[in-house]
Amino acid sequence: MKAHQFVAFASKHGVSTNTSNQVLFEALYEEGENISLVDTLVSIGKNKLDLDETELRAYLEDNETAKEVKKEIESGRRKYRIGGVPYFIVDGNAVDKPYAFSGAQPQATFLEVFDEVSFDEK
């Protein structure tokens, strides 16, 4: 949950979710960091995203912000009927409905969806 709060905080401070997720994945999978710890997340936010450590720590330790993030996650689960992770949503601007698929997927699946979305945008 703390990592989700980290992404929400970063997003509210102008950092794209792609960027914040990337630094979390690097910390977890390449550096072996425990991204469930507040101290670890504060260090990542300060050192890699130039986020204010005092504000970030307060946000991560606040139960109300955790409730807000949980509410947003639950809303996404209901809206897209998410039952597991990973879950991917590709929202092409020109298509009526976003593409959504669950579970690990081969590269070919992503390429098909991206091709279809880019075709629809032409």
Side-chain angles (χ1 to χ4, degrees), residues 29-66:
Y29 296 114
E30 294 178 18
E31 299 163 12
E33 297 285 345
N34 183 346
I35 62 169
S36 67
L37 301 175
V38 171
D39 287 340
T40 300
L41 292 170
V42 168
S43 177
I44 293 167
K46 177 185 174 193
N47 297 325
K48 295 192 176 182
L49 300 177
D50 199 30
L51 296 171
D52 182 274
E53 64 184 303
T54 303
E55 287 181 36
L56 177 56
R57 180 176 301 281
Y59 189 88
L60 294 172
E61 292 176 344
D62 184 348
N63 287 333
E64 288 305 311
T65 63

Side-chain angles (χ1 to χ4, degrees), residues 90-101 108-122:
V90 180
D91 188 8
N93 293 331
V95 294
D96 295 332
K97 190 171 158 185
Y99 292 85
F101 43 97
T109 301
F110 288 96
L111 293 174
E112 281 179 38
V113 170
F114 296 151
D115 283 345
E116 208 164 313
V117 169
S118 68
F119 178 76
D120 288 343
E121 290 179 355
K122 292 178 182 176

Side-chain angles (χ1 to χ4, degrees), residues 15 23 77 79 93 115 119:
V15 178
V23 298
R77 284 183 179 158
K79 180 177 180 180
N93 293 331
D115 283 345
F119 178 76

